[in-house]
Amino acid sequence: MNSFTALVTGANKGIGKEIARQLVAAGLTVHLGARDAERGKQAAEEIGARPVVLDVTDPAGIAAAARAVGELDVLVNNAGILLGGAAPGESDVDIFRRTYETNLFGVLAVTNAFLPALRRSARPRIVNISSGTGSLAWSTGPQFPHAGTSAAYRSSKTALNALTVFYAHELAEAGFKVNALAPGLRATDLNDRAKAEGDDPAEAAAAAVRLALLPDDGPTGGFHSWDGTTAPW
């Protein structure tokens, strides 16, 4: 997909920055989205990307970014937050609202803003960075026996998985490939556990890049684990 253009949200650090780096290495023109202009500029300069100020919770900023980017073939919705680790019975409603504002509504807003550009692409691809903790199958089995902790974050990723399926159905006839990725626990600033126990973000980024560069006969509407296997809903 050389000469193609990509946008990665939340890409001034962590998995997002590594996804942007690997897409640049694959020959794409990459727009690196970041809320902070200076941090975004610095990260973009480090990897050869183009910075774009993009706060996924700011409608005016999203519209401005869509005008600035113009043409687009690949959208990676990576921006996400985790606010505390409380179970639902111990959670403040505002924590849920703020989490969903970024992790779900932000994805909806950004995707819809860039759909006109993606529709002009010959090979439109959307990758939503989800979480294995958003899997209801794993949450009700032995994989994540956390007794409902981080309920806001985990449920927002479950909802993101559903949104991925709905976009995949809506856009299938237009040639889109829309998929969600469970990146695994990575050494990022998401929370203290990720910092202490997480693995290399580059490994997860490579999986995201594979989904971003899917051939025309590739899957759509799927939930994929970082290791190439299918994650259960």
Side-chain angles (χ1 to χ4, degrees):
M1 290 181 72
N2 291 354
S3 80
F4 281 68
T5 300
L7 167 66
V8 185
T9 67
N12 63 288
K13 60 182 180 179
I15 295 175
K17 183 178 179 181
E18 189 57 38
I19 293 171
R21 184 197 306 276
Q22 293 186 26
L23 287 171
V24 169
L28 280 74
T29 298
V30 178
H31 296 274
L32 186 152
R35 289 182 299 174
D36 184 276
E38 187 57 38
R39 291 178 182 176
K41 179 181 178 182
Q42 181 177 347
E45 289 176 349
E46 289 176 12
I47 66 175
R50 299 179 180 182
V52 58
V53 177
L54 180 55
D55 180 343
V56 303
T57 67
D58 175 20
I62 293 170
R67 291 192 297 269
V69 170
E71 300 304 312
L72 192 67
D73 303 285
V74 175
L75 171 61
V76 181
N77 287 305
N78 169 74
I81 58 172
L82 191 162
L83 302 175
E90 302 168 351
S91 294
D92 188 294
V93 171
D94 185 60
I95 294 296
F96 266 72
R97 288 198 180 103
R98 289 165 58 195
T99 300
Y100 274 66
E101 194 66 43
T102 294
N103 294 1
L104 182 68
F105 305 147
V107 172
L108 182 70
V110 170
T111 301
N112 286 352
F114 284 91
L115 270 183
L118 288 165
R119 288 183 185 278
R120 293 191 294 269
S121 171
R123 299 178 72 183
R125 306 288 184 261
I126 299 174
V127 183
N128 295 328
I129 305 303
S130 182
S131 170
T133 66
S135 165
L136 292 178
W138 279 342
S139 293
T140 54
Q143 186 79 8
F144 297 115
H146 299 320
T149 58
S150 300
Y153 175 81
R154 295 172 69 182
S155 63
S156 75
K157 293 301 187 177
T158 303
L160 177 60
N161 288 347
L163 188 64
T164 301
V165 171
F166 301 153
Y167 271 126
H169 288 173
E170 176 188 0
L171 301 170
E173 291 187 3
F176 280 69
K177 303 296 181 184
V178 186
N179 291 282
L181 175 70
L185 185 65
R186 301 296 160 182
T188 68
D189 292 336
L190 185 67
N191 60 12
D192 290 340
R193 179 168 176 254
K195 290 179 183 179
E197 303 176 22
D199 294 323
D200 189 351
E203 193 173 44
V209 169
R210 286 196 297 271
L211 293 174
L213 304 182
L214 282 173
D216 291 342
D217 61 353
T220 190
F223 186 25
H224 307 268
S225 181
W226 63 270
D227 61 2
T229 61
T230 298
W233 298 113

